């Protein structure tokens, strides 16, 4: 694992997010389509998504901005916008696109779905119950889970094609 990737795992953990939490979202997204999908398979796909440099960069940038907002040291008007997770801010969602772009269109649909339902860890991050600011992290975590679900779907479609051939 590269030092950058290690930092991503460390920062996620510091912000209260385990790989299993993200994998649970991936499982939630794919269980209806593949009845035999396992948590292990979801974890593996999340880990693969986290090896991508653009994914790592998006996570580190977003978490850093959340942290600075939490410490109340951003310059206005950004401090207020990120601190209060202002609905018209929208750059947290834009940053998530960098992650979704890696695995194509299935990722976008998956992202929209869990972003609306907010299952599992997304509900916890959104509720601000830990007293932390997760304006960026909730969207980034949803995007990693959605990208992992897209990758899982592509991998499965690809292996079934090989069997047919
Ligand atoms: Mg957000």
């Amino acid at each position: 694992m590269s030092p950058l990737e290690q930092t991503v795992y460390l920062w996620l953990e510091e912000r209260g997010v385990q790989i299993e939490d993200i994998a649970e979202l991936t499982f939630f997204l794919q269980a209806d389509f593949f009845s035999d999908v396992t948590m292990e398979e979801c974890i593996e796909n999340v880990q693969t998504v986290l090896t991508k440099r653009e994914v790592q960069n998006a996570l580190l940038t977003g978490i850093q901005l959340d942290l600075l907002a939490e410490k109340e040291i951003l310059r206005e008007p950004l401090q207020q916008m990120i601190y209060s997770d202002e609905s018209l801010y929208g750059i947290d969602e834009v940053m998530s696109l960098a992650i979704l772009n890696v695995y194509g269109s299935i990722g976008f649909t998956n992202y929209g779905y869990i972003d609306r339902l907010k299952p599992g860890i997304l509900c916890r991050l959104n509720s601000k119950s830990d007293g932390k600011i997760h304006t960026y992290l909730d969207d980034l975590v949803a995007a990693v889970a959605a990208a992992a679900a897209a990758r899982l779907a592509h991998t499965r479609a690809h292996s079934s094609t090989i069997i047919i051939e």
Side-chain angles (χ1 to χ4, degrees):
M1 199 184 280
S2 73
L4 196 62
E5 198 178 343
Q6 279 175 23
T7 308
V8 168
Y9 277 76
L10 178 70
W11 285 21
L12 281 173
E13 205 181 314
E14 283 176 2
R15 304 301 286 170
V17 178
Q18 309 293 328
I19 300 307
E20 288 75 13
D21 297 325
I22 310 177
E24 266 170 25
L25 298 175
T26 306
F27 186 90
F28 173 83
L29 282 167
Q30 293 303 28
D32 284 346
F33 300 103
F34 306 107
S35 55
D36 60 338
V37 71
T38 62
M39 263 302 278
E40 199 182 18
E41 191 181 3
C42 294
I43 290 172
E44 210 179 284
N45 278 286
V46 168
Q47 286 170 333
T48 306
V49 170
L50 293 178
T51 62
K52 301 281 177 191
R53 186 65 196 264
E54 54 267 67
V55 173
Q56 296 165 357
N57 290 344
L59 279 164
L60 294 181
T61 308
I63 291 172
Q64 180 68 231
L65 285 164
D66 281 348
L67 258 173
L68 296 177
E70 201 171 291
K71 291 182 176 159
E72 301 186 44
I73 50 178
L74 286 170
R75 291 180 75 181
E76 294 295 3
L78 266 186
Q79 172 60 35
Q80 187 49 36
M81 284 194 270
I82 299 177
Y83 190 88
S84 63
D85 199 359
E86 201 180 281
S87 58
L88 290 177
Y89 174 58
I91 307 303
D92 41 348
E93 278 101 15
V94 173
M95 182 116 68
S96 297
L97 300 181
I99 294 175
L100 294 170
N101 275 334
V102 180
Y103 290 101
S105 60
I106 305 177
F108 290 89
T109 324
N110 286 334
Y111 174 76
Y113 186 61
I114 51 173
D115 186 50
R116 202 159 58 84
L117 288 181
K118 304 213 185 302
I121 182 77
L122 297 182
C123 176
R124 188 152 60 77
L125 291 175
N126 243 278
S127 70
K128 300 183 178 83
S129 53
D130 58 1
K132 289 178 172 159
I133 302 298
H134 299 300
T135 298
Y136 275 91
L137 189 58
D138 62 338
D139 296 290
L140 295 169
V141 160
V144 170
R151 186 180 182 275
L152 192 151
H154 285 303
T155 312
R156 288 217 171 196
H158 183 65
S159 52
S160 65
T161 309
I162 290 169
I163 292 163
I164 291 162
E165 281 167 2

